[in-house]
Amino acid sequence: MVETPIITDELIAEHGFTKDEYKTVLAIMGRVPSFTELGIFSVMWSEHCSYKSSKKWLKTLPTDGPQVIQGPGENAGVVDIGDGKAAIFKIESHNHPSFIEPYQGAATGVGGILRDVFTMGARPVANLNALRFGSPNHPKTRHLISGVVGGIGGYGNCIGVPTIGGEVNFHPAYNGNILVNAMTVGLADTDKIFYSAAAGNGNAVVYVGSKTGRDGIHGATMASAEFSDDSEEKRPTVQVGDPFTEKLLLEACLELMATDAIVAIQDMGAAGLTSSSVEMASKGGVGVELDLDLVPARETAMTAYELMLSESQERMLMVLKPNSEKMAQAIFDKWELDFAIIGKITDTGNLVLKMHGEIMADIPVDPLVENAPEYDRPWEKTPEAPKIQARELSPPENLEDVLLELISTPDSASKRWIWEQYDHMVMADTVAGPGGDSAVVRVHGTNRGLAVTTDCTPRYCAAAPETGGRQAAAEAWRNLTAVGAKPLALTNNLNFGNPERPVIMGQVVGCIAGISDAGRVLDFPVVSGNVSLYNETNGEAILPTPVIGGVGLIDNLDRTANCAFKAEGDTIILIGDTTGWLGASLYLREVEGREVGAPPPVDLTTERKNGDFVRYLISDGQIDTCHDISDGGLLLALAEMAIAGEIGANIKSPEIDIPLFAWAFGEDQARYVITSKQSEAILGSAKSVGISAAVIGTVGGSALTLGDSISISVLDLANRHRSWLPNYMANAGE
């Protein structure tokens, strides 16, 4: 027998408890907990699992709508897409593991989010990601990019789910703490959605999938703490993934789901067997008794503590209906996966763990969940940033040089080098892959599609969190709209630093408030998500990064749009007002080397009006070219459209009362560029509904020109745009 550690103040502190939290544990238990019980409380009350610093504010998010079947609180969110089908999706972080061990950290992030989706009965149809790396000049950045991209591609490609979209940013704030956010979207029948609430006194609790090892123990706890100089010593807390086993698990689960055997099912994600058993019991209002001697283990002499806290991958826990166990086992035997009845549902309301004939833990489930800490942490409002007036800035000498610099800066440069390593065509339903405003995947066997995107502008969130949160949701909504999709709902991944610092907590509060505003005005509810805090090293926090994953529906795939210019002579129309807003812009950061100023305001009513108009034009077949304007402003958007279409454009010198460079590179919101052969009709329609629309040029030629100020060949633009990342990754010795 392994000697059980004595519960000391030092051991309590190592498990992340405050003194008051441990007092609550003692009150719940009425005695000193065992070592295994201490570990269970530790992971269930970790920031990663309990959301103790954020749930006060998460409750303010809009989560309802006629399309919402399941909002936050389950493995993933569910929205109705009609015809008896539902989209099931979620985004989740694997930040800390990916910094410590980038390949496995990113790979198991993909594996975990896939399980969150297929545990609800959905076949995954698309993966996305949102990645943040440190400065390109940092010595670790190339290594981290290579490992993370390899892990995402290695897992997604092997399991056969297309990786079709995402975003990548670079900033020194992520030098010591990169962000790897993974998103999965799946499709299910609305009458075949599976939930996690356990039920049925005496029903079998069944463990399926891979065997349990010692990898990933303390993973949830590690993800709830800051890094320091010894972070690499935490490598043993990173899980190891096996996509081939996950593929077998996916098929076995979906085969069993086609029967009537499952009462409840839960992925073993963060905190492994602990969180899955506790959450199933809590949601069902029941108890659960497990015999840990029956848990399939791949290592010898594993303790109860290790078995309960391991985060080994590719595992599920389920509750089966009586007399269905043999049938279920036959399915998992066929797929060569472990299947073990390890316990039963009880009416005690307790989690009881037995091993070697002894009771290793006996914890009341409801207090374990309901008495978890919930903090109203002190927070400070981010000071208001000054508004930057374009007229106060010195104009650049050469607009051509500015455009070439912005099109090739790390944030704006093409990420083709990354997404070419992902299989985005497997399953043969990808309609629009990476590189556009949103990716599009066909609803199999139909002419309908789902549009998906991930978006966030961290520099806006740092300058003004509420505006930044509002803009992140609005940009996701715009990107869905730009391909012709009706936005349905969002999932969010809220990445911040240490919430115990009021400045950081103020960022959390502000960003959530902004997302809430946007969700309500845009009818874009939050149906799932993840909070990742303590993303900092030695007190240096990341930029506030509330990533939005958006999902929209296209009813007719014959009526979509993309950002590529199409044909000589097409009229280029700008939708939305341009004031030349340069605060917190890419222009200021990259050209002037200054990260200053208030970000552009986000008028959600205008966003809604302009977006609804653009979507109508696409669905009515009047336009098939559309691009939203975001980082780098109008001229960068036009350059991207020219590169995508391999054709130039002639832009008129505008008659404006602001400096030309501000018109070109300002980042005013709620704007789109469209092209059409029916410009008069579109301008008339826009005027009739009070929408700003103006002709700014025509498609044609081999160069992008702006009056007498700019004339750059599309080939030169494309070379500059596409060369930065492959050149950077090739120069590993620099």
Side-chain angles (χ1 to χ4, degrees):
M1 291 286 292
V2 176
E3 186 176 349
T4 301
I6 297 171
I7 307 301
T8 63
D9 289 346
E10 183 180 18
L11 191 65
I12 293 164
E14 284 177 5
H15 280 74
F17 292 102
T18 66
K19 290 182 178 179
D20 285 342
E21 287 172 356
Y22 185 65
K23 284 180 183 176
T24 305
V25 172
L26 292 176
I28 291 171
M29 298 299 293
R31 57 176 170 80
V32 173
S34 69
F35 181 52
T36 301
E37 290 167 339
L38 186 73
I40 288 170
F41 273 99
S42 170
V43 293
M44 290 304 298
W45 288 8
S46 68
E47 192 73 61
H48 192 72
C49 292
S50 74
Y51 296 153
K52 57 190 174 186
S53 297
S54 58
K55 56 187 172 185
K56 167 185 168 65
W57 303 101
L58 296 176
K59 293 172 185 175
T60 66
L61 290 166
T63 59
D64 297 323
Q67 72 275 40
V68 177
I69 294 174
Q70 175 64 55
E74 271 291 340
N75 287 291
V78 186
V79 293
D80 194 334
I81 63 169
D83 292 346
K85 293 288 185 182
I88 300 181
F89 59 96
K90 187 182 180 184
I91 192 168
E92 198 163 75
S93 62
H94 235 220
N95 303 333
H96 285 54
S98 298
F99 183 75
I100 295 169
E101 212 303 297
Y103 186 96
Q104 289 296 349
T108 53
V110 174
I113 197 63
L114 281 163
R115 288 194 303 280
D116 279 339
V117 168
F118 74 73
T119 194
M120 297 197 70
R123 178 170 291 280
V125 296
N127 288 333
L128 297 89
N129 51 72
L131 311 177
R132 262 74 190 184
F133 297 104
S135 166
N137 298 323
H138 192 275
K140 280 190 175 181
T141 299
R142 281 189 188 86
H143 162 71
L144 292 168
I145 295 171
S146 180
V148 165
V149 171
I152 291 170
Y155 208 101
N157 296 353
C158 289
I159 199 172
V161 176
T163 301
I164 62 171
E167 57 170 353
V168 185
N169 286 159
F170 298 84
H171 194 279
Y174 305 103
N175 281 347
N177 201 128
I178 64 172
L179 301 184
V180 176
N181 296 172
M183 178 177 172
T184 293
V185 183
L187 288 169
D189 294 335
T190 53
D191 60 352
K192 274 288 186 180
I193 296 169
F194 291 80
Y195 299 95
S196 58
N201 190 27
N203 279 350
V205 177
V206 177
Y207 171 119
V208 299
S210 290
K211 289 179 168 60
T212 297
R214 290 189 171 95
D215 54 320
I217 294 173
H218 288 304
T221 310
M222 178 267 289
S224 305
E226 295 179 39
F227 278 154
S228 60
D229 292 328
D230 66 351
S231 60
E232 295 206 2
E233 295 175 12
K234 297 178 179 179
R235 191 168 277 116
T237 62
V238 179
Q239 310 94 324
V240 177
D242 178 356
F244 299 105
T245 299
E246 179 120 334
K247 173 63 172 173
L248 300 177
L249 182 62
L250 163 64
E251 298 301 340
C253 285
L254 291 180
E255 184 173 338
L256 182 59
M257 287 167 169
T259 73
D260 193 33
I262 297 174
V263 175
I265 182 168
Q266 175 77 37
D267 161 44
M268 286 193 226
L273 191 49
T274 289
S275 64
S276 55
S277 57
V278 169
E279 288 173 12
M280 291 174 82
S282 172
K283 288 174 183 173
V286 298
V288 62
E289 181 179 303
L290 304 180
D291 183 346
L292 299 184
D293 291 320
L294 302 176
V295 173
R298 67 169 182 262
E299 300 182 43
T300 58
M302 288 189 71
T303 65
Y305 181 98
E306 290 171 330
L307 289 167
M308 291 303 294
L309 270 61
S310 168
E311 295 185 8
S312 294
Q313 297 292 285
E314 294 87 41
R315 301 179 301 158
M316 293 280 195
L317 197 65
M318 55 181 70
V319 178
L320 297 182
K321 292 181 179 178
N323 304 315
S324 63
E325 297 90 347
K326 285 186 179 180
M327 179 270 293
Q329 180 160 6
I331 291 173
F332 282 86
D333 286 349
K334 182 184 81 172
W335 292 100
E336 299 182 344
L337 294 166
D338 276 289
F339 177 99
I341 299 172
I342 64 169
K344 62 184 179 181
I345 299 301
T346 69
D347 58 6
T348 65
N350 281 22
L351 171 68
V352 178
L353 307 177
K354 295 180 177 179
M355 193 174 189
H356 308 318
E358 297 181 25
I359 293 179
M360 310 303 291
D362 188 349
I363 305 173
V365 170
D366 283 348
L368 174 62
V369 175
E370 294 168 8
N371 292 13
E374 179 175 340
Y375 292 122
D376 184 3
R377 296 202 185 275
W379 60 278
E380 295 176 6
K381 187 175 175 64
T382 301
E384 193 167 325
K387 293 180 181 178
I388 303 294
Q389 300 296 328
R391 290 186 181 85
E392 298 171 2
L393 302 174
S394 299
E397 293 182 6
N398 188 315
L399 289 185
E400 283 192 10
D401 290 344
V402 172
L403 178 57
L404 288 170
E405 182 174 355
L406 290 182
I407 200 76
S408 59
T409 200
D411 277 4
S412 299
S414 169
K415 304 307 184 296
R416 180 186 292 267
W417 181 91
I418 290 175
W419 54 255
E420 280 186 339
Q421 298 181 54
Y422 305 151
D423 188 338
H424 50 273
M425 297 304 294
V426 66
M427 300 180 78
D429 277 323
T430 302
V431 176
D437 289 312
S438 293
V440 180
V441 63
R442 182 184 302 274
V443 177
H444 188 70
T446 75
N447 198 39
R448 303 192 309 146
L450 292 178
V452 290
T453 184
T454 57
D455 293 287
C456 184
T457 311
R459 65 181 184 276
Y460 292 174
C461 298
E466 192 162 339
T467 300
R470 198 177 292 125
Q471 190 273 342
E475 186 176 352
W477 191 89
R478 274 203 309 274
N479 279 328
L480 296 172
T481 292
V483 299
K486 176 178 175 53
L488 293 176
L490 67 88
T491 180
N492 56 23
N493 206 142
L494 307 178
N495 306 274
F496 296 90
N498 184 343
E500 296 167 46
R501 296 167 54 197
V503 169
I504 300 296
M505 196 63 216
Q507 295 174 346
V508 176
V509 172
C511 286
I512 290 175
I515 294 168
S516 295
D517 288 348
R520 290 187 176 91
V521 176
L522 301 175
D523 287 339
F524 202 30
V526 181
V527 296
S528 61
N530 173 248
V531 180
S532 176
L533 304 179
Y534 296 94
N535 287 291
E536 53 184 86
T537 299
N538 296 327
E540 293 293 321
I542 62 164
L543 298 179
T545 313
V547 173
I548 303 296
V551 174
L553 179 66
I554 300 173
D555 273 324
N556 180 0
L557 286 173
D558 296 330
R559 297 286 176 88
T560 62
N562 62 38
C563 66
F565 284 146
K566 301 293 188 305
E568 293 267 353
D570 282 358
T571 302
I572 303 171
I573 300 171
L574 172 63
I575 302 292
D577 289 315
T578 299
T579 69
W581 193 284
L582 288 170
S585 66
L586 202 64
Y587 173 88
L588 274 185
R589 193 182 79 187
E590 298 298 328
V591 177
E592 295 201 0
R594 298 192 297 148
E595 297 186 48
V596 295
V602 180
D603 183 327
L604 292 167
T605 302
T606 302
E607 288 280 4
R608 180 71 186 262
K609 185 166 68 171
N610 290 1
D612 287 349
F613 178 68
V614 166
R615 195 180 317 107
Y616 161 73
L617 294 177
I618 297 170
S619 66
D620 196 47
Q622 295 187 50
I623 62 172
D624 62 3
T625 301
C626 181
H627 192 18
D628 94 301
I629 301 173
S630 54
D631 284 353
L634 172 60
L635 205 56
L636 201 66
L638 291 165
E640 290 168 345
M641 297 174 83
I643 292 167
E646 299 181 342
I647 187 172
N650 301 299
I651 308 304
K652 300 184 298 183
S653 290
E655 298 178 3
I656 48 174
D657 59 358
I658 57 174
L660 182 60
F661 75 96
W663 180 84
F665 303 115
E667 296 181 5
D668 299 279
Q669 300 293 292
R671 296 187 299 162
Y672 303 80
V673 177
I674 62 174
T675 71
S676 176
K677 289 182 168 58
Q678 309 171 40
S679 59
E680 291 301 320
I682 289 174
L683 293 175
S685 296
K687 184 176 181 180
S688 69
V689 292
I691 285 172
S692 173
V695 172
I696 60 171
T698 57
V699 175
S702 60
L704 177 63
T705 66
L706 171 57
D708 297 328
S709 302
I710 290 178
S711 181
I712 309 175
S713 77
V714 175
L715 185 60
D716 285 347
L717 283 170
N719 288 339
R720 288 291 291 267
H721 184 53
R722 293 169 180 162
S723 63
W724 179 81
L725 188 52
N727 288 347
Y728 171 74
M729 294 305 295
N731 295 329
E734 289 187 357

